[in-house]
Amino acid sequence: MSEAPIYVCEISGDDNAGKGTKEAPFKTSVKAVESANGSTNLNIKVRKALTDEYSDISLAGLKKAKRTFENNVKKADNAAKKASTPAPVLDETQKLEEAKKVILKLDESLPKASKIKIRDSKAYRGSRIVVSGWVHRNRSQKTISFLVLRDGTGYLQTVLTGNLAKSYDALTLTVESTIKVYGTLRELPADKTAPGGHELVADYWEILGKAPGDSDAFTNKLNTESDPSVLLDQRHLVIRGEIASKVLKMRAFVLRAFRQYFDTRGVVEVSPPLMVQTQVEGGSTLFTFDYYGEKAFLNIKFYAYLTQSSQLYLETCLPSLGDVYCLSESFRAEKSLTRRHLSQYTHCEAEMAFITFEDLLDFVEKMVVFVVNTVINDPEASQVLKELNPNFLVPKMPFRRMNYSDAIKWLADHDVINEDTGKPYQFGEDIPEKPERFMTDTINEPILLCRFPAEIKSFYMKRDPKDPRLTESVDVLMPNVGEIVGGSMRISDLQELFEGYKREGIDPTPYYWFTDQRKYGTSEHGGFGLGIERFLAWILNRHSVREVCLYPRFMGRCQP
């Protein structure tokens, strides 16, 4: 006989107040397993979005939840056993009392220590230095302790010996405590390993800020079995990990490389507004807010939005600054929880005047390759890339050019069916993420997918002069990620722009400043937008774009 269902909603559930019912679901599957009191015949229903129906938990998800629950039970049993054996606790107490008698003093007769960052340590081998940082790892023996210190610029093995390892602070030292260490940096022999090939032999150290231990210890906050929602709640601690910090450093390298590309081509960086009263990519994905309750234009009430794209503002800069770009935040209120969607993301956008569609394709293609080569040619960045994605290959130019119509034919030739119609994809239909990814991963090389029908593209895209049904548009598709760039030539004719407004049902009134670009000296121009998170997911081979954000924002997640 099947057990009564236990409901889990990853968006609105609550592990504390929830009851596992449809009306009061739990937040995590681990709590659902716990509530079943060891029953093996579990009937857990899960949903990942408020718009989804509850469905049976996957076998992998159930297995992970059971394993996490069992680990939690073992931890609790071990803690109970430890609490029930007073003799060892007494011995430990005596040991700590003795350790309080050990007083450490800084030896003023030693050479003055140079204050350094760990990244610069190699130049100070053989010298006395002082370093401050967080205790990343701590391995103690009877009379010696090996610490790995982290200061954000690198890692440094530190050795405490003698009384330095016997003090009360040494015996109670916890991971993530901040300390200051004085000592001599020694190069290690060839048969020994440590970060940087050296270690700091301490002659004095002190606690700056002690992290908690016991149940509140850092190592009890997170582990490899932690539920994804826990990892997101504790993101401020997750980013202290080696992989997460390397990903964020690579993000900085990549942003710098994009700026270098634009700088070498004389493209000017601008800072457009994030609070706007116009849409760019359709009204259904706009975040709306009350902007002081004011009436925005000619005493008519218009809503204010968080920007979907800075493209329209960049276009206004062309007559005064020439080619321009921005690296700014964009916002999309998409009710999607796929691994490539975010509600807030970093948008690399550019607009260029007096160009052709082929000029645009060449610019985007060269940009992608330039950024990758810049990362690879930087010693620090290339090392991080090698550690995170050792099998990465630089894409070769030219990228494959494929028209939308060719993609429709490719899908038909490979028996890919439109799930909405049950038939092969037809010309004029949008190609969703799943078939697009299948095609890109199968071809397994970068694709410039060009010339989409006007009806499925934005109002501002210029029509192809050879086939007015189409637009001069492009999506750059990368294996394992899909689309990372969307671009097009922009409408330059005033009447054609008004037709675009009408087709999409857009009131042109609040777009007067954008419309004026076609009145006061129009030009052939084009541009693109690239999602930095998708670019990083591609280059680092990350499963989800959430992994490459500092604090990801998506439906149901707006903290910490």
PDB file of all heavy atoms in Angstrom, residues 349-366:
ATOM      1  N   GLU A 349      26.943  44.971 -24.168  1.00  0.00           N
ATOM      2  CA  GLU A 349      26.213  45.435 -25.336  1.00  0.00           C
ATOM      3  C   GLU A 349      27.024  46.477 -26.087  1.00  0.00           C
ATOM      4  O   GLU A 349      27.768  47.261 -25.491  1.00  0.00           O
ATOM      5  CB  GLU A 349      24.869  46.036 -24.914  1.00  0.00           C
ATOM      6  CG  GLU A 349      23.941  45.048 -24.227  1.00  0.00           C
ATOM      7  CD  GLU A 349      22.600  45.655 -23.891  1.00  0.00           C
ATOM      8  OE1 GLU A 349      21.699  45.606 -24.742  1.00  0.00           O
ATOM      9  OE2 GLU A 349      22.462  46.204 -22.776  1.00  0.00           O
ATOM     10  N   ALA A 350      26.875  46.492 -27.399  1.00  0.00           N
ATOM     11  CA  ALA A 350      27.581  47.467 -28.235  1.00  0.00           C
ATOM     12  C   ALA A 350      26.708  47.873 -29.402  1.00  0.00           C
ATOM     13  O   ALA A 350      25.886  47.084 -29.881  1.00  0.00           O
ATOM     14  CB  ALA A 350      28.897  46.878 -28.745  1.00  0.00           C
ATOM     15  N   GLU A 351      26.880  49.103 -29.852  1.00  0.00           N
ATOM     16  CA  GLU A 351      26.220  49.617 -31.050  1.00  0.00           C
ATOM     17  C   GLU A 351      27.261  50.325 -31.907  1.00  0.00           C
ATOM     18  O   GLU A 351      28.119  51.059 -31.381  1.00  0.00           O
ATOM     19  CB  GLU A 351      25.096  50.595 -30.680  1.00  0.00           C
ATOM     20  CG  GLU A 351      23.929  49.958 -29.946  1.00  0.00           C
ATOM     21  CD  GLU A 351      23.147  48.978 -30.806  1.00  0.00           C
ATOM     22  OE1 GLU A 351      22.939  49.259 -32.012  1.00  0.00           O
ATOM     23  OE2 GLU A 351      22.753  47.915 -30.279  1.00  0.00           O
ATOM     24  N   MET A 352      27.184  50.105 -33.217  1.00  0.00           N
ATOM     25  CA  MET A 352      28.178  50.657 -34.137  1.00  0.00           C
ATOM     26  C   MET A 352      27.491  51.276 -35.347  1.00  0.00           C
ATOM     27  O   MET A 352      26.532  50.712 -35.885  1.00  0.00           O
ATOM     28  CB  MET A 352      29.145  49.559 -34.576  1.00  0.00           C
ATOM     29  CG  MET A 352      29.986  49.029 -33.417  1.00  0.00           C
ATOM     30  SD  MET A 352      30.723  47.418 -33.749  1.00  0.00           S
ATOM     31  CE  MET A 352      29.275  46.365 -33.612  1.00  0.00           C
ATOM     32  N   ALA A 353      28.000  52.429 -35.776  1.00  0.00           N
ATOM     33  CA  ALA A 353      27.401  53.177 -36.886  1.00  0.00           C
ATOM     34  C   ALA A 353      28.123  52.896 -38.194  1.00  0.00           C
ATOM     35  O   ALA A 353      29.308  52.533 -38.213  1.00  0.00           O
ATOM     36  CB  ALA A 353      27.433  54.672 -36.585  1.00  0.00           C
ATOM     37  N   PHE A 354      27.378  53.060 -39.295  1.00  0.00           N
ATOM     38  CA  PHE A 354      27.916  52.955 -40.658  1.00  0.00           C
ATOM     39  C   PHE A 354      28.577  51.598 -40.905  1.00  0.00           C
ATOM     40  O   PHE A 354      29.701  51.511 -41.409  1.00  0.00           O
ATOM     41  CB  PHE A 354      28.900  54.096 -40.929  1.00  0.00           C
ATOM     42  CG  PHE A 354      28.332  55.462 -40.657  1.00  0.00           C
ATOM     43  CD1 PHE A 354      28.784  56.208 -39.575  1.00  0.00           C
ATOM     44  CD2 PHE A 354      27.306  55.984 -41.441  1.00  0.00           C
ATOM     45  CE1 PHE A 354      28.251  57.460 -39.301  1.00  0.00           C
ATOM     46  CE2 PHE A 354      26.779  57.237 -41.175  1.00  0.00           C
ATOM     47  CZ  PHE A 354      27.238  57.977 -40.100  1.00  0.00           C
ATOM     48  N   ILE A 355      27.883  50.541 -40.518  1.00  0.00           N
ATOM     49  CA  ILE A 355      28.386  49.189 -40.740  1.00  0.00           C
ATOM     50  C   ILE A 355      27.382  48.391 -41.567  1.00  0.00           C
ATOM     51  O   ILE A 355      26.225  48.800 -41.724  1.00  0.00           O
ATOM     52  CB  ILE A 355      28.670  48.437 -39.428  1.00  0.00           C
ATOM     53  CG1 ILE A 355      27.375  48.221 -38.630  1.00  0.00           C
ATOM     54  CG2 ILE A 355      29.723  49.161 -38.597  1.00  0.00           C
ATOM     55  CD1 ILE A 355      27.531  47.279 -37.447  1.00  0.00           C
ATOM     56  N   THR A 356      27.851  47.256 -42.082  1.00  0.00           N
ATOM     57  CA  THR A 356      26.979  46.310 -42.771  1.00  0.00           C
ATOM     58  C   THR A 356      26.739  45.100 -41.876  1.00  0.00           C
ATOM     59  O   THR A 356      27.396  44.941 -40.834  1.00  0.00           O
ATOM     60  CB  THR A 356      27.618  45.830 -44.082  1.00  0.00           C
ATOM     61  OG1 THR A 356      28.801  45.066 -43.764  1.00  0.00           O
ATOM     62  CG2 THR A 356      27.981  47.009 -44.976  1.00  0.00           C
ATOM     63  N   PHE A 357      25.830  44.235 -42.283  1.00  0.00           N
ATOM     64  CA  PHE A 357      25.554  43.026 -41.508  1.00  0.00           C
ATOM     65  C   PHE A 357      26.800  42.144 -41.419  1.00  0.00           C
ATOM     66  O   PHE A 357      27.091  41.585 -40.368  1.00  0.00           O
ATOM     67  CB  PHE A 357      24.395  42.259 -42.150  1.00  0.00           C
ATOM     68  CG  PHE A 357      23.920  41.076 -41.346  1.00  0.00           C
ATOM     69  CD1 PHE A 357      23.724  41.173 -39.973  1.00  0.00           C
ATOM     70  CD2 PHE A 357      23.653  39.853 -41.952  1.00  0.00           C
ATOM     71  CE1 PHE A 357      23.274  40.088 -39.222  1.00  0.00           C
ATOM     72  CE2 PHE A 357      23.208  38.764 -41.227  1.00  0.00           C
ATOM     73  CZ  PHE A 357      23.019  38.883 -39.851  1.00  0.00           C
ATOM     74  N   GLU A 358      27.534  42.041 -42.518  1.00  0.00           N
ATOM     75  CA  GLU A 358      28.771  41.248 -42.486  1.00  0.00           C
ATOM     76  C   GLU A 358      29.795  41.855 -41.532  1.00  0.00           C
ATOM     77  O   GLU A 358      30.524  41.135 -40.849  1.00  0.00           O
ATOM     78  CB  GLU A 358      29.364  41.120 -43.895  1.00  0.00           C
ATOM     79  CG  GLU A 358      28.633  40.141 -44.794  1.00  0.00           C
ATOM     80  CD  GLU A 358      28.620  38.727 -44.220  1.00  0.00           C
ATOM     81  OE1 GLU A 358      29.666  38.280 -43.704  1.00  0.00           O
ATOM     82  OE2 GLU A 358      27.557  38.070 -44.274  1.00  0.00           O
ATOM     83  N   ASP A 359      29.864  43.194 -41.476  1.00  0.00           N
ATOM     84  CA  ASP A 359      30.755  43.861 -40.513  1.00  0.00           C
ATOM     85  C   ASP A 359      30.399  43.451 -39.087  1.00  0.00           C
ATOM     86  O   ASP A 359      31.273  43.192 -38.257  1.00  0.00           O
ATOM     87  CB  ASP A 359      30.643  45.386 -40.632  1.00  0.00           C
ATOM     88  CG  ASP A 359      31.192  45.927 -41.947  1.00  0.00           C
ATOM     89  OD1 ASP A 359      32.055  45.262 -42.550  1.00  0.00           O
ATOM     90  OD2 ASP A 359      30.732  47.014 -42.364  1.00  0.00           O
ATOM     91  N   LEU A 360      29.092  43.402 -38.821  1.00  0.00           N
ATOM     92  CA  LEU A 360      28.626  43.038 -37.480  1.00  0.00           C
ATOM     93  C   LEU A 360      29.025  41.604 -37.139  1.00  0.00           C
ATOM     94  O   LEU A 360      29.532  41.336 -36.036  1.00  0.00           O
ATOM     95  CB  LEU A 360      27.103  43.198 -37.399  1.00  0.00           C
ATOM     96  CG  LEU A 360      26.446  42.771 -36.085  1.00  0.00           C
ATOM     97  CD1 LEU A 360      26.922  43.651 -34.937  1.00  0.00           C
ATOM     98  CD2 LEU A 360      24.916  42.835 -36.200  1.00  0.00           C
ATOM     99  N   LEU A 361      28.812  40.675 -38.079  1.00  0.00           N
ATOM    100  CA  LEU A 361      29.160  39.277 -37.822  1.00  0.00           C
ATOM    101  C   LEU A 361      30.658  39.126 -37.557  1.00  0.00           C
ATOM    102  O   LEU A 361      31.071  38.406 -36.639  1.00  0.00           O
ATOM    103  CB  LEU A 361      28.740  38.408 -39.013  1.00  0.00           C
ATOM    104  CG  LEU A 361      27.248  38.352 -39.347  1.00  0.00           C
ATOM    105  CD1 LEU A 361      27.006  37.405 -40.515  1.00  0.00           C
ATOM    106  CD2 LEU A 361      26.426  37.925 -38.143  1.00  0.00           C
ATOM    107  N   ASP A 362      31.475  39.813 -38.349  1.00  0.00           N
ATOM    108  CA  ASP A 362      32.924  39.729 -38.173  1.00  0.00           C
ATOM    109  C   ASP A 362      33.350  40.296 -36.822  1.00  0.00           C
ATOM    110  O   ASP A 362      34.224  39.745 -36.146  1.00  0.00           O
ATOM    111  CB  ASP A 362      33.639  40.487 -39.296  1.00  0.00           C
ATOM    112  CG  ASP A 362      33.534  39.789 -40.646  1.00  0.00           C
ATOM    113  OD1 ASP A 362      33.202  38.588 -40.653  1.00  0.00           O
ATOM    114  OD2 ASP A 362      33.762  40.450 -41.677  1.00  0.00           O
ATOM    115  N   PHE A 363      32.729  41.412 -36.419  1.00  0.00           N
ATOM    116  CA  PHE A 363      33.087  42.058 -35.154  1.00  0.00           C
ATOM    117  C   PHE A 363      32.806  41.126 -33.977  1.00  0.00           C
ATOM    118  O   PHE A 363      33.647  40.966 -33.084  1.00  0.00           O
ATOM    119  CB  PHE A 363      32.293  43.358 -34.998  1.00  0.00           C
ATOM    120  CG  PHE A 363      32.699  44.189 -33.811  1.00  0.00           C
ATOM    121  CD1 PHE A 363      33.639  45.197 -33.946  1.00  0.00           C
ATOM    122  CD2 PHE A 363      32.140  43.967 -32.556  1.00  0.00           C
ATOM    123  CE1 PHE A 363      34.020  45.974 -32.847  1.00  0.00           C
ATOM    124  CE2 PHE A 363      32.513  44.733 -31.457  1.00  0.00           C
ATOM    125  CZ  PHE A 363      33.462  45.736 -31.604  1.00  0.00           C
ATOM    126  N   VAL A 364      31.623  40.501 -33.976  1.00  0.00           N
ATOM    127  CA  VAL A 364      31.240  39.614 -32.874  1.00  0.00           C
ATOM    128  C   VAL A 364      32.147  38.391 -32.832  1.00  0.00           C
ATOM    129  O   VAL A 364      32.616  37.981 -31.762  1.00  0.00           O
ATOM    130  CB  VAL A 364      29.763  39.201 -33.012  1.00  0.00           C
ATOM    131  CG1 VAL A 364      29.412  38.120 -31.994  1.00  0.00           C
ATOM    132  CG2 VAL A 364      28.846  40.406 -32.832  1.00  0.00           C
ATOM    133  N   GLU A 365      32.399  37.809 -33.973  1.00  0.00           N
ATOM    134  CA  GLU A 365      33.243  36.620 -34.053  1.00  0.00           C
ATOM    135  C   GLU A 365      34.658  36.914 -33.537  1.00  0.00           C
ATOM    136  O   GLU A 365      35.212  36.166 -32.719  1.00  0.00           O
ATOM    137  CB  GLU A 365      33.291  36.157 -35.510  1.00  0.00           C
ATOM    138  CG  GLU A 365      34.162  34.961 -35.779  1.00  0.00           C
ATOM    139  CD  GLU A 365      34.173  34.633 -37.263  1.00  0.00           C
ATOM    140  OE1 GLU A 365      34.888  35.325 -38.030  1.00  0.00           O
ATOM    141  OE2 GLU A 365      33.464  33.689 -37.653  1.00  0.00           O
ATOM    142  N   LYS A 366      35.230  38.013 -33.993  1.00  0.00           N
ATOM    143  CA  LYS A 366      36.586  38.387 -33.564  1.00  0.00           C
ATOM    144  C   LYS A 366      36.611  38.712 -32.070  1.00  0.00           C
ATOM    145  O   LYS A 366      37.612  38.445 -31.387  1.00  0.00           O
ATOM    146  CB  LYS A 366      37.086  39.571 -34.378  1.00  0.00           C
ATOM    147  CG  LYS A 366      37.388  39.222 -35.830  1.00  0.00           C
ATOM    148  CD  LYS A 366      37.766  40.455 -36.638  1.00  0.00           C
ATOM    149  CE  LYS A 366      38.039  40.097 -38.091  1.00  0.00           C
ATOM    150  NZ  LYS A 366      38.334  41.298 -38.916  1.00  0.00           N
TER     151      LYS A 366
END
